[in-house]
Amino acid sequence: MTKVEGEYDIEAVRAEWIGRKTPLYHGRYPVEYDPIRRYCHMVEDDNPLFLDPDYAATTKWGGVIVPPVMTDYFAGGGAWPEEDEPALILQVPTRGDRTINLNISWEFIQPARIGDRLSRQTEIEDIYQKPTRLDPRSIWIAAKTTIFNQDGEVLAIGRNTMVAHRRPEEFAAELQESGG
């Protein structure tokens, strides 16, 4: 988190950051059958569309597809080596350095298939100030991540909302100064 010391201008932050996008980031690994199989066995998902190539070939998809929740995995950088740059949502300047991830929702538009190479791009959609019990001037950040296949087709859209707040002792003096 990028904590701003001193005066914080929410409108300047909004003007600079809303609409900002990451470069298109290419997933480290192609979509492969074995990680899908291992994942499905781990979570006890026995859907033949994910596990049985012979069955999947007879469906409208024409072959094994990725369980929707794994789409993000194949569009990512994997567990190792770690990425050097923090997520875009964590780069937005805020008053405090305490963060809470409030929700993540996904819309899966079309499936990923074996052999696909997935990519992702994240965009800051909104930044606003809204009080919480933790901080009367908490900063809320909404971001959208779009996942594409190698042909540039959109496979999934994820939305994430995060709140950044200060420690109570950081805004206690502010309340006293303002007579609050």
PDB file of all heavy atoms in Angstrom, residues 124-159:
ATOM      1  N   ILE A 124      -8.040   0.127 -12.590  1.00  0.00           N
ATOM      2  CA  ILE A 124      -8.687   0.774 -11.448  1.00  0.00           C
ATOM      3  C   ILE A 124      -9.982   1.405 -11.954  1.00  0.00           C
ATOM      4  O   ILE A 124      -9.959   2.241 -12.857  1.00  0.00           O
ATOM      5  CB  ILE A 124      -7.776   1.847 -10.803  1.00  0.00           C
ATOM      6  CG1 ILE A 124      -6.457   1.223 -10.310  1.00  0.00           C
ATOM      7  CG2 ILE A 124      -8.519   2.563  -9.665  1.00  0.00           C
ATOM      8  CD1 ILE A 124      -6.604   0.190  -9.223  1.00  0.00           C
ATOM      9  N   GLU A 125     -11.111   0.999 -11.373  1.00  0.00           N
ATOM     10  CA  GLU A 125     -12.416   1.509 -11.822  1.00  0.00           C
ATOM     11  C   GLU A 125     -12.935   2.669 -10.980  1.00  0.00           C
ATOM     12  O   GLU A 125     -13.609   3.548 -11.501  1.00  0.00           O
ATOM     13  CB  GLU A 125     -13.453   0.387 -11.814  1.00  0.00           C
ATOM     14  CG  GLU A 125     -13.220  -0.637 -12.889  1.00  0.00           C
ATOM     15  CD  GLU A 125     -14.404  -1.548 -13.066  1.00  0.00           C
ATOM     16  OE1 GLU A 125     -14.844  -2.188 -12.086  1.00  0.00           O
ATOM     17  OE2 GLU A 125     -14.895  -1.620 -14.203  1.00  0.00           O
ATOM     18  N   ASP A 126     -12.664   2.658  -9.681  1.00  0.00           N
ATOM     19  CA  ASP A 126     -13.182   3.735  -8.842  1.00  0.00           C
ATOM     20  C   ASP A 126     -12.358   3.843  -7.566  1.00  0.00           C
ATOM     21  O   ASP A 126     -11.794   2.855  -7.090  1.00  0.00           O
ATOM     22  CB  ASP A 126     -14.651   3.484  -8.479  1.00  0.00           C
ATOM     23  CG  ASP A 126     -15.385   4.748  -8.054  1.00  0.00           C
ATOM     24  OD1 ASP A 126     -14.789   5.852  -8.088  1.00  0.00           O
ATOM     25  OD2 ASP A 126     -16.563   4.640  -7.685  1.00  0.00           O
ATOM     26  N   ILE A 127     -12.296   5.054  -7.032  1.00  0.00           N
ATOM     27  CA  ILE A 127     -11.645   5.348  -5.749  1.00  0.00           C
ATOM     28  C   ILE A 127     -12.541   6.364  -5.059  1.00  0.00           C
ATOM     29  O   ILE A 127     -12.900   7.377  -5.666  1.00  0.00           O
ATOM     30  CB  ILE A 127     -10.233   5.948  -5.951  1.00  0.00           C
ATOM     31  CG1 ILE A 127      -9.359   5.003  -6.760  1.00  0.00           C
ATOM     32  CG2 ILE A 127      -9.594   6.266  -4.597  1.00  0.00           C
ATOM     33  CD1 ILE A 127      -8.084   5.634  -7.290  1.00  0.00           C
ATOM     34  N   TYR A 128     -12.899   6.100  -3.831  1.00  0.00           N
ATOM     35  CA  TYR A 128     -13.763   7.033  -3.120  1.00  0.00           C
ATOM     36  C   TYR A 128     -13.521   6.942  -1.620  1.00  0.00           C
ATOM     37  O   TYR A 128     -12.929   5.984  -1.129  1.00  0.00           O
ATOM     38  CB  TYR A 128     -15.238   6.802  -3.448  1.00  0.00           C
ATOM     39  CG  TYR A 128     -15.720   5.381  -3.278  1.00  0.00           C
ATOM     40  CD1 TYR A 128     -16.359   4.976  -2.115  1.00  0.00           C
ATOM     41  CD2 TYR A 128     -15.544   4.438  -4.291  1.00  0.00           C
ATOM     42  CE1 TYR A 128     -16.803   3.674  -1.957  1.00  0.00           C
ATOM     43  CE2 TYR A 128     -15.984   3.142  -4.146  1.00  0.00           C
ATOM     44  CZ  TYR A 128     -16.619   2.767  -2.977  1.00  0.00           C
ATOM     45  OH  TYR A 128     -17.053   1.471  -2.823  1.00  0.00           O
ATOM     46  N   GLN A 129     -13.985   7.957  -0.938  1.00  0.00           N
ATOM     47  CA  GLN A 129     -13.868   8.011   0.523  1.00  0.00           C
ATOM     48  C   GLN A 129     -15.225   7.666   1.119  1.00  0.00           C
ATOM     49  O   GLN A 129     -16.257   8.182   0.664  1.00  0.00           O
ATOM     50  CB  GLN A 129     -13.461   9.419   0.945  1.00  0.00           C
ATOM     51  CG  GLN A 129     -13.341   9.587   2.443  1.00  0.00           C
ATOM     52  CD  GLN A 129     -12.913  10.993   2.790  1.00  0.00           C
ATOM     53  OE1 GLN A 129     -11.789  11.372   2.512  1.00  0.00           O
ATOM     54  NE2 GLN A 129     -13.815  11.757   3.365  1.00  0.00           N
ATOM     55  N   LYS A 130     -15.218   6.794   2.113  1.00  0.00           N
ATOM     56  CA  LYS A 130     -16.455   6.386   2.774  1.00  0.00           C
ATOM     57  C   LYS A 130     -16.088   5.978   4.199  1.00  0.00           C
ATOM     58  O   LYS A 130     -15.115   5.243   4.403  1.00  0.00           O
ATOM     59  CB  LYS A 130     -17.071   5.208   2.020  1.00  0.00           C
ATOM     60  CG  LYS A 130     -18.377   4.708   2.560  1.00  0.00           C
ATOM     61  CD  LYS A 130     -18.884   3.583   1.666  1.00  0.00           C
ATOM     62  CE  LYS A 130     -20.090   2.919   2.262  1.00  0.00           C
ATOM     63  NZ  LYS A 130     -20.529   1.786   1.446  1.00  0.00           N
ATOM     64  N   PRO A 131     -16.822   6.444   5.179  1.00  0.00           N
ATOM     65  CA  PRO A 131     -16.458   6.118   6.565  1.00  0.00           C
ATOM     66  C   PRO A 131     -16.689   4.648   6.908  1.00  0.00           C
ATOM     67  O   PRO A 131     -17.589   4.007   6.373  1.00  0.00           O
ATOM     68  CB  PRO A 131     -17.375   7.018   7.396  1.00  0.00           C
ATOM     69  CG  PRO A 131     -18.510   7.357   6.507  1.00  0.00           C
ATOM     70  CD  PRO A 131     -17.995   7.317   5.105  1.00  0.00           C
ATOM     71  N   THR A 132     -15.840   4.148   7.768  1.00  0.00           N
ATOM     72  CA  THR A 132     -16.021   2.833   8.379  1.00  0.00           C
ATOM     73  C   THR A 132     -15.860   3.014   9.881  1.00  0.00           C
ATOM     74  O   THR A 132     -15.426   4.080  10.348  1.00  0.00           O
ATOM     75  CB  THR A 132     -14.967   1.821   7.879  1.00  0.00           C
ATOM     76  OG1 THR A 132     -13.668   2.261   8.290  1.00  0.00           O
ATOM     77  CG2 THR A 132     -15.002   1.671   6.366  1.00  0.00           C
ATOM     78  N   ARG A 133     -16.150   1.984  10.639  1.00  0.00           N
ATOM     79  CA  ARG A 133     -15.927   2.066  12.081  1.00  0.00           C
ATOM     80  C   ARG A 133     -14.435   2.153  12.398  1.00  0.00           C
ATOM     81  O   ARG A 133     -14.048   2.637  13.445  1.00  0.00           O
ATOM     82  CB  ARG A 133     -16.534   0.853  12.787  1.00  0.00           C
ATOM     83  CG  ARG A 133     -18.049   0.899  12.802  1.00  0.00           C
ATOM     84  CD  ARG A 133     -18.635  -0.191  13.639  1.00  0.00           C
ATOM     85  NE  ARG A 133     -18.173  -1.494  13.173  1.00  0.00           N
ATOM     86  CZ  ARG A 133     -18.282  -2.615  13.855  1.00  0.00           C
ATOM     87  NH1 ARG A 133     -18.841  -2.622  15.032  1.00  0.00           N
ATOM     88  NH2 ARG A 133     -17.856  -3.751  13.360  1.00  0.00           N
ATOM     89  N   LEU A 134     -13.605   1.708  11.480  1.00  0.00           N
ATOM     90  CA  LEU A 134     -12.168   1.727  11.688  1.00  0.00           C
ATOM     91  C   LEU A 134     -11.547   3.096  11.429  1.00  0.00           C
ATOM     92  O   LEU A 134     -10.545   3.447  12.034  1.00  0.00           O
ATOM     93  CB  LEU A 134     -11.490   0.690  10.794  1.00  0.00           C
ATOM     94  CG  LEU A 134     -11.906  -0.752  11.047  1.00  0.00           C
ATOM     95  CD1 LEU A 134     -11.398  -1.650   9.933  1.00  0.00           C
ATOM     96  CD2 LEU A 134     -11.398  -1.211  12.397  1.00  0.00           C
ATOM     97  N   ASP A 135     -12.121   3.840  10.484  1.00  0.00           N
ATOM     98  CA  ASP A 135     -11.558   5.133  10.090  1.00  0.00           C
ATOM     99  C   ASP A 135     -12.664   5.950   9.414  1.00  0.00           C
ATOM    100  O   ASP A 135     -13.239   5.498   8.417  1.00  0.00           O
ATOM    101  CB  ASP A 135     -10.393   4.906   9.117  1.00  0.00           C
ATOM    102  CG  ASP A 135      -9.691   6.182   8.680  1.00  0.00           C
ATOM    103  OD1 ASP A 135     -10.197   7.292   8.932  1.00  0.00           O
ATOM    104  OD2 ASP A 135      -8.619   6.056   8.050  1.00  0.00           O
ATOM    105  N   PRO A 136     -12.961   7.140   9.920  1.00  0.00           N
ATOM    106  CA  PRO A 136     -14.033   7.936   9.323  1.00  0.00           C
ATOM    107  C   PRO A 136     -13.719   8.442   7.914  1.00  0.00           C
ATOM    108  O   PRO A 136     -14.609   8.929   7.220  1.00  0.00           O
ATOM    109  CB  PRO A 136     -14.204   9.105  10.300  1.00  0.00           C
ATOM    110  CG  PRO A 136     -12.927   9.178  11.055  1.00  0.00           C
ATOM    111  CD  PRO A 136     -12.376   7.782  11.100  1.00  0.00           C
ATOM    112  N   ARG A 137     -12.459   8.323   7.477  1.00  0.00           N
ATOM    113  CA  ARG A 137     -12.089   8.735   6.117  1.00  0.00           C
ATOM    114  C   ARG A 137     -11.350   7.602   5.404  1.00  0.00           C
ATOM    115  O   ARG A 137     -10.306   7.797   4.796  1.00  0.00           O
ATOM    116  CB  ARG A 137     -11.261  10.013   6.156  1.00  0.00           C
ATOM    117  CG  ARG A 137     -12.096  11.180   6.707  1.00  0.00           C
ATOM    118  CD  ARG A 137     -11.545  12.546   6.414  1.00  0.00           C
ATOM    119  NE  ARG A 137     -10.150  12.704   6.789  1.00  0.00           N
ATOM    120  CZ  ARG A 137      -9.361  13.639   6.295  1.00  0.00           C
ATOM    121  NH1 ARG A 137      -9.814  14.491   5.418  1.00  0.00           N
ATOM    122  NH2 ARG A 137      -8.110  13.741   6.694  1.00  0.00           N
ATOM    123  N   SER A 138     -11.928   6.418   5.466  1.00  0.00           N
ATOM    124  CA  SER A 138     -11.362   5.257   4.771  1.00  0.00           C
ATOM    125  C   SER A 138     -11.424   5.472   3.259  1.00  0.00           C
ATOM    126  O   SER A 138     -12.324   6.149   2.751  1.00  0.00           O
ATOM    127  CB  SER A 138     -12.142   3.991   5.124  1.00  0.00           C
ATOM    128  OG  SER A 138     -11.991   3.663   6.482  1.00  0.00           O
ATOM    129  N   ILE A 139     -10.474   4.891   2.558  1.00  0.00           N
ATOM    130  CA  ILE A 139     -10.423   4.989   1.104  1.00  0.00           C
ATOM    131  C   ILE A 139     -10.798   3.623   0.525  1.00  0.00           C
ATOM    132  O   ILE A 139     -10.217   2.600   0.888  1.00  0.00           O
ATOM    133  CB  ILE A 139      -9.011   5.400   0.617  1.00  0.00           C
ATOM    134  CG1 ILE A 139      -8.620   6.756   1.219  1.00  0.00           C
ATOM    135  CG2 ILE A 139      -8.949   5.421  -0.913  1.00  0.00           C
ATOM    136  CD1 ILE A 139      -9.525   7.913   0.847  1.00  0.00           C
ATOM    137  N   TRP A 140     -11.763   3.633  -0.375  1.00  0.00           N
ATOM    138  CA  TRP A 140     -12.255   2.419  -1.026  1.00  0.00           C
ATOM    139  C   TRP A 140     -11.750   2.417  -2.466  1.00  0.00           C
ATOM    140  O   TRP A 140     -11.783   3.442  -3.141  1.00  0.00           O
ATOM    141  CB  TRP A 140     -13.772   2.402  -1.013  1.00  0.00           C
ATOM    142  CG  TRP A 140     -14.351   2.359   0.365  1.00  0.00           C
ATOM    143  CD1 TRP A 140     -14.173   3.267   1.376  1.00  0.00           C
ATOM    144  CD2 TRP A 140     -15.201   1.359   0.897  1.00  0.00           C
ATOM    145  NE1 TRP A 140     -14.865   2.890   2.491  1.00  0.00           N
ATOM    146  CE2 TRP A 140     -15.515   1.716   2.226  1.00  0.00           C
ATOM    147  CE3 TRP A 140     -15.753   0.189   0.379  1.00  0.00           C
ATOM    148  CZ2 TRP A 140     -16.332   0.950   3.039  1.00  0.00           C
ATOM    149  CZ3 TRP A 140     -16.573  -0.567   1.184  1.00  0.00           C
ATOM    150  CH2 TRP A 140     -16.852  -0.195   2.491  1.00  0.00           C
ATOM    151  N   ILE A 141     -11.300   1.258  -2.915  1.00  0.00           N
ATOM    152  CA  ILE A 141     -10.747   1.128  -4.264  1.00  0.00           C
ATOM    153  C   ILE A 141     -11.420  -0.057  -4.942  1.00  0.00           C
ATOM    154  O   ILE A 141     -11.470  -1.152  -4.382  1.00  0.00           O
ATOM    155  CB  ILE A 141      -9.220   0.908  -4.221  1.00  0.00           C
ATOM    156  CG1 ILE A 141      -8.548   2.025  -3.419  1.00  0.00           C
ATOM    157  CG2 ILE A 141      -8.644   0.804  -5.631  1.00  0.00           C
ATOM    158  CD1 ILE A 141      -7.127   1.715  -3.002  1.00  0.00           C
ATOM    159  N   ALA A 142     -11.931   0.168  -6.149  1.00  0.00           N
ATOM    160  CA  ALA A 142     -12.549  -0.895  -6.940  1.00  0.00           C
ATOM    161  C   ALA A 142     -11.704  -1.119  -8.187  1.00  0.00           C
ATOM    162  O   ALA A 142     -11.321  -0.167  -8.871  1.00  0.00           O
ATOM    163  CB  ALA A 142     -13.976  -0.518  -7.327  1.00  0.00           C
ATOM    164  N   ALA A 143     -11.413  -2.392  -8.468  1.00  0.00           N
ATOM    165  CA  ALA A 143     -10.594  -2.732  -9.632  1.00  0.00           C
ATOM    166  C   ALA A 143     -11.259  -3.860 -10.417  1.00  0.00           C
ATOM    167  O   ALA A 143     -12.024  -4.651  -9.873  1.00  0.00           O
ATOM    168  CB  ALA A 143      -9.192  -3.155  -9.197  1.00  0.00           C
ATOM    169  N   LYS A 144     -10.933  -3.908 -11.698  1.00  0.00           N
ATOM    170  CA  LYS A 144     -11.457  -4.949 -12.590  1.00  0.00           C
ATOM    171  C   LYS A 144     -10.275  -5.666 -13.230  1.00  0.00           C
ATOM    172  O   LYS A 144      -9.345  -5.024 -13.725  1.00  0.00           O
ATOM    173  CB  LYS A 144     -12.328  -4.317 -13.670  1.00  0.00           C
ATOM    174  CG  LYS A 144     -12.780  -5.286 -14.748  1.00  0.00           C
ATOM    175  CD  LYS A 144     -13.658  -4.610 -15.773  1.00  0.00           C
ATOM    176  CE  LYS A 144     -12.827  -3.871 -16.783  1.00  0.00           C
ATOM    177  NZ  LYS A 144     -13.591  -3.375 -17.926  1.00  0.00           N
ATOM    178  N   THR A 145     -10.308  -6.991 -13.222  1.00  0.00           N
ATOM    179  CA  THR A 145      -9.309  -7.793 -13.913  1.00  0.00           C
ATOM    180  C   THR A 145      -9.996  -8.542 -15.040  1.00  0.00           C
ATOM    181  O   THR A 145     -10.996  -9.228 -14.817  1.00  0.00           O
ATOM    182  CB  THR A 145      -8.629  -8.786 -12.954  1.00  0.00           C
ATOM    183  OG1 THR A 145      -7.951  -8.042 -11.936  1.00  0.00           O
ATOM    184  CG2 THR A 145      -7.624  -9.671 -13.688  1.00  0.00           C
ATOM    185  N   THR A 146      -9.471  -8.396 -16.247  1.00  0.00           N
ATOM    186  CA  THR A 146     -10.017  -9.085 -17.414  1.00  0.00           C
ATOM    187  C   THR A 146      -9.024 -10.145 -17.850  1.00  0.00           C
ATOM    188  O   THR A 146      -7.822  -9.874 -17.940  1.00  0.00           O
ATOM    189  CB  THR A 146     -10.273  -8.086 -18.568  1.00  0.00           C
ATOM    190  OG1 THR A 146     -11.101  -7.017 -18.077  1.00  0.00           O
ATOM    191  CG2 THR A 146     -10.962  -8.755 -19.736  1.00  0.00           C
ATOM    192  N   ILE A 147      -9.536 -11.348 -18.102  1.00  0.00           N
ATOM    193  CA  ILE A 147      -8.691 -12.456 -18.551  1.00  0.00           C
ATOM    194  C   ILE A 147      -9.028 -12.764 -20.004  1.00  0.00           C
ATOM    195  O   ILE A 147     -10.204 -12.903 -20.368  1.00  0.00           O
ATOM    196  CB  ILE A 147      -8.884 -13.696 -17.656  1.00  0.00           C
ATOM    197  CG1 ILE A 147      -8.427 -13.358 -16.235  1.00  0.00           C
ATOM    198  CG2 ILE A 147      -8.120 -14.897 -18.222  1.00  0.00           C
ATOM    199  CD1 ILE A 147      -8.596 -14.471 -15.231  1.00  0.00           C
ATOM    200  N   PHE A 148      -7.972 -12.855 -20.819  1.00  0.00           N
ATOM    201  CA  PHE A 148      -8.090 -13.083 -22.258  1.00  0.00           C
ATOM    202  C   PHE A 148      -7.416 -14.401 -22.636  1.00  0.00           C
ATOM    203  O   PHE A 148      -6.473 -14.835 -21.970  1.00  0.00           O
ATOM    204  CB  PHE A 148      -7.357 -11.975 -23.038  1.00  0.00           C
ATOM    205  CG  PHE A 148      -7.786 -10.587 -22.697  1.00  0.00           C
ATOM    206  CD1 PHE A 148      -7.158  -9.869 -21.689  1.00  0.00           C
ATOM    207  CD2 PHE A 148      -8.819  -9.980 -23.397  1.00  0.00           C
ATOM    208  CE1 PHE A 148      -7.541  -8.568 -21.376  1.00  0.00           C
ATOM    209  CE2 PHE A 148      -9.205  -8.678 -23.095  1.00  0.00           C
ATOM    210  CZ  PHE A 148      -8.570  -7.972 -22.086  1.00  0.00           C
ATOM    211  N   ASN A 149      -7.846 -14.981 -23.759  1.00  0.00           N
ATOM    212  CA  ASN A 149      -7.085 -16.099 -24.322  1.00  0.00           C
ATOM    213  C   ASN A 149      -6.103 -15.553 -25.352  1.00  0.00           C
ATOM    214  O   ASN A 149      -6.008 -14.341 -25.552  1.00  0.00           O
ATOM    215  CB  ASN A 149      -8.012 -17.184 -24.890  1.00  0.00           C
ATOM    216  CG  ASN A 149      -8.809 -16.725 -26.098  1.00  0.00           C
ATOM    217  OD1 ASN A 149      -8.550 -15.668 -26.702  1.00  0.00           O
ATOM    218  ND2 ASN A 149      -9.822 -17.506 -26.468  1.00  0.00           N
ATOM    219  N   GLN A 150      -5.375 -16.442 -26.001  1.00  0.00           N
ATOM    220  CA  GLN A 150      -4.334 -16.036 -26.952  1.00  0.00           C
ATOM    221  C   GLN A 150      -4.901 -15.302 -28.166  1.00  0.00           C
ATOM    222  O   GLN A 150      -4.168 -14.604 -28.871  1.00  0.00           O
ATOM    223  CB  GLN A 150      -3.509 -17.246 -27.397  1.00  0.00           C
ATOM    224  CG  GLN A 150      -4.263 -18.281 -28.203  1.00  0.00           C
ATOM    225  CD  GLN A 150      -5.134 -19.206 -27.357  1.00  0.00           C
ATOM    226  OE1 GLN A 150      -5.048 -19.202 -26.133  1.00  0.00           O
ATOM    227  NE2 GLN A 150      -5.961 -20.003 -28.013  1.00  0.00           N
ATOM    228  N   ASP A 151      -6.202 -15.426 -28.413  1.00  0.00           N
ATOM    229  CA  ASP A 151      -6.838 -14.740 -29.539  1.00  0.00           C
ATOM    230  C   ASP A 151      -7.430 -13.393 -29.137  1.00  0.00           C
ATOM    231  O   ASP A 151      -8.101 -12.740 -29.944  1.00  0.00           O
ATOM    232  CB  ASP A 151      -7.937 -15.623 -30.137  1.00  0.00           C
ATOM    233  CG  ASP A 151      -7.382 -16.940 -30.677  1.00  0.00           C
ATOM    234  OD1 ASP A 151      -6.271 -16.923 -31.259  1.00  0.00           O
ATOM    235  OD2 ASP A 151      -8.044 -17.973 -30.504  1.00  0.00           O
ATOM    236  N   GLY A 152      -7.218 -12.989 -27.876  1.00  0.00           N
ATOM    237  CA  GLY A 152      -7.735 -11.716 -27.397  1.00  0.00           C
ATOM    238  C   GLY A 152      -9.194 -11.764 -26.973  1.00  0.00           C
ATOM    239  O   GLY A 152      -9.791 -10.726 -26.687  1.00  0.00           O
ATOM    240  N   GLU A 153      -9.782 -12.954 -26.948  1.00  0.00           N
ATOM    241  CA  GLU A 153     -11.172 -13.093 -26.527  1.00  0.00           C
ATOM    242  C   GLU A 153     -11.253 -13.017 -25.006  1.00  0.00           C
ATOM    243  O   GLU A 153     -10.414 -13.590 -24.307  1.00  0.00           O
ATOM    244  CB  GLU A 153     -11.745 -14.436 -26.998  1.00  0.00           C
ATOM    245  CG  GLU A 153     -11.739 -14.599 -28.493  1.00  0.00           C
ATOM    246  CD  GLU A 153     -12.061 -16.012 -28.929  1.00  0.00           C
ATOM    247  OE1 GLU A 153     -11.586 -16.978 -28.299  1.00  0.00           O
ATOM    248  OE2 GLU A 153     -12.802 -16.140 -29.920  1.00  0.00           O
ATOM    249  N   VAL A 154     -12.272 -12.323 -24.503  1.00  0.00           N
ATOM    250  CA  VAL A 154     -12.468 -12.194 -23.059  1.00  0.00           C
ATOM    251  C   VAL A 154     -13.071 -13.491 -22.526  1.00  0.00           C
ATOM    252  O   VAL A 154     -14.120 -13.942 -23.005  1.00  0.00           O
ATOM    253  CB  VAL A 154     -13.381 -10.995 -22.721  1.00  0.00           C
ATOM    254  CG1 VAL A 154     -13.677 -10.951 -21.226  1.00  0.00           C
ATOM    255  CG2 VAL A 154     -12.743  -9.694 -23.180  1.00  0.00           C
ATOM    256  N   LEU A 155     -12.389 -14.085 -21.552  1.00  0.00           N
ATOM    257  CA  LEU A 155     -12.881 -15.313 -20.926  1.00  0.00           C
ATOM    258  C   LEU A 155     -13.571 -15.034 -19.598  1.00  0.00           C
ATOM    259  O   LEU A 155     -14.538 -15.705 -19.250  1.00  0.00           O
ATOM    260  CB  LEU A 155     -11.738 -16.302 -20.699  1.00  0.00           C
ATOM    261  CG  LEU A 155     -10.923 -16.719 -21.912  1.00  0.00           C
ATOM    262  CD1 LEU A 155      -9.918 -17.792 -21.520  1.00  0.00           C
ATOM    263  CD2 LEU A 155     -11.815 -17.194 -23.042  1.00  0.00           C
ATOM    264  N   ALA A 156     -13.033 -14.076 -18.840  1.00  0.00           N
ATOM    265  CA  ALA A 156     -13.578 -13.809 -17.509  1.00  0.00           C
ATOM    266  C   ALA A 156     -13.287 -12.370 -17.109  1.00  0.00           C
ATOM    267  O   ALA A 156     -12.306 -11.773 -17.557  1.00  0.00           O
ATOM    268  CB  ALA A 156     -12.961 -14.762 -16.490  1.00  0.00           C
ATOM    269  N   ILE A 157     -14.173 -11.842 -16.258  1.00  0.00           N
ATOM    270  CA  ILE A 157     -13.981 -10.509 -15.687  1.00  0.00           C
ATOM    271  C   ILE A 157     -14.161 -10.627 -14.184  1.00  0.00           C
ATOM    272  O   ILE A 157     -15.194 -11.119 -13.714  1.00  0.00           O
ATOM    273  CB  ILE A 157     -14.989  -9.491 -16.264  1.00  0.00           C
ATOM    274  CG1 ILE A 157     -14.777  -9.335 -17.771  1.00  0.00           C
ATOM    275  CG2 ILE A 157     -14.850  -8.146 -15.555  1.00  0.00           C
ATOM    276  CD1 ILE A 157     -15.831  -8.507 -18.467  1.00  0.00           C
ATOM    277  N   GLY A 158     -13.143 -10.212 -13.456  1.00  0.00           N
ATOM    278  CA  GLY A 158     -13.199 -10.236 -11.998  1.00  0.00           C
ATOM    279  C   GLY A 158     -13.229  -8.819 -11.464  1.00  0.00           C
ATOM    280  O   GLY A 158     -12.550  -7.938 -11.986  1.00  0.00           O
ATOM    281  N   ARG A 159     -14.032  -8.616 -10.438  1.00  0.00           N
ATOM    282  CA  ARG A 159     -14.088  -7.298  -9.793  1.00  0.00           C
ATOM    283  C   ARG A 159     -13.720  -7.462  -8.334  1.00  0.00           C
ATOM    284  O   ARG A 159     -14.142  -8.417  -7.669  1.00  0.00           O
ATOM    285  CB  ARG A 159     -15.480  -6.697  -9.940  1.00  0.00           C
ATOM    286  CG  ARG A 159     -15.727  -6.248 -11.367  1.00  0.00           C
ATOM    287  CD  ARG A 159     -16.871  -5.266 -11.474  1.00  0.00           C
ATOM    288  NE  ARG A 159     -16.786  -4.480 -12.687  1.00  0.00           N
ATOM    289  CZ  ARG A 159     -17.044  -4.932 -13.908  1.00  0.00           C
ATOM    290  NH1 ARG A 159     -17.382  -6.181 -14.076  1.00  0.00           N
ATOM    291  NH2 ARG A 159     -16.947  -4.124 -14.952  1.00  0.00           N
TER     292      ARG A 159
END
